């Protein structure tokens, strides 16, 4: 690379080596090789910088995703704890209802209620299944 109006890379290398106006082929090859080596090193460093930037961006994205996953896990845990409480309350209510049904079934009036429920179930069964066949 050369700046406008400035010396070229080859002439700078020759000036450092103390070579005057004429140029030998070996000096020119050495200057060109040094220049291409520096250019390739710069290109490799640029690629490394690009890769570091990409990795940084991916790490930032992974961090955001992990934070979102943590938030979702906390939310799901709160929901599950709430469901556990609801199921516990429902179990208590069903237990109370079953105890009351058992007490009612043991009494004389409870037998009549059970017989009535059985009669209703048999009647519905008859109406649904027997009437469909006709």
């Amino acid at each position: 690379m050369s700046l406008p109006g400035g010396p070229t890379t080859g002439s700078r290398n020759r000036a450092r080596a103390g070579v005057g106006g004429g140029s030998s082929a070996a000096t020119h090859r050495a200057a060109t090789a040094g220049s291409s080596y520096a250019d390739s090193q710069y290109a490799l460093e640029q690629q490394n910088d690009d890769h570091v930037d990409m990795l940084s961006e991916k790490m930032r994205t992974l961090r955001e995703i992990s934070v979102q996953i943590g938030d979702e896990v906390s939310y799901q845990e709160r929901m599950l704890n709430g469901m556990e409480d609801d199921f516990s309350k429902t179990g208590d209510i069903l237990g109370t209802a079953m105890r009351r049904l058992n007490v009612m079934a043991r009494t004389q009036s409870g037998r009549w209620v059970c017989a009535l429920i059985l009669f209703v179930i048999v009647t519905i069964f008859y109406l649904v299944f027997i009437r469909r066949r006709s």
Side-chain angles (χ1 to χ4, degrees):
M1 288 184 3
S2 65
L3 298 174
T8 63
T9 306
S11 64
R12 272 185 274 148
N13 288 337
R14 281 191 303 273
R16 285 188 201 135
V19 177
S23 88
S24 68
T27 305
H28 180 67
R29 277 193 302 261
T32 305
S35 173
S36 65
Y37 177 75
D39 290 342
S40 67
Q41 286 292 63
Y42 177 77
L44 287 174
E45 287 180 22
Q46 187 62 38
Q47 282 180 343
N48 285 341
D49 290 342
D50 292 342
H51 285 105
V52 167
D53 292 340
M54 286 189 331
L55 284 174
S56 296
E57 182 63 31
K58 289 181 181 181
M59 291 295 292
R60 193 174 308 116
T61 303
L62 284 173
R63 182 183 180 281
E64 290 172 4
I65 290 171
S66 65
V67 167
Q68 290 173 352
I69 289 172
D71 293 343
E72 184 66 24
V73 166
S74 298
Y75 173 73
Q76 294 291 332
E77 182 182 15
R78 284 192 307 271
M79 285 191 61
L80 287 173
N81 288 336
M83 286 177 64
E84 180 183 6
D85 294 341
D86 292 343
F87 280 121
S88 177
K89 290 175 187 175
T90 303
D92 292 343
I93 291 171
L94 285 175
T96 303
M98 286 302 294
R99 280 191 298 277
R100 288 182 181 174
L101 281 173
N102 284 332
V103 168
M104 187 174 66
R106 286 187 202 131
T107 62
Q108 184 67 15
S109 65
R111 289 187 186 146
W112 284 104
V113 173
C114 287
L116 181 63
I117 290 173
L118 183 63
F119 174 74
V120 170
I121 290 172
V122 168
T123 305
I124 291 173
F125 178 76
Y126 172 76
L127 291 174
V128 170
F129 292 111
I130 303 299
R131 299 285 271 180
R132 271 194 185 171
R133 290 185 180 178
S134 322

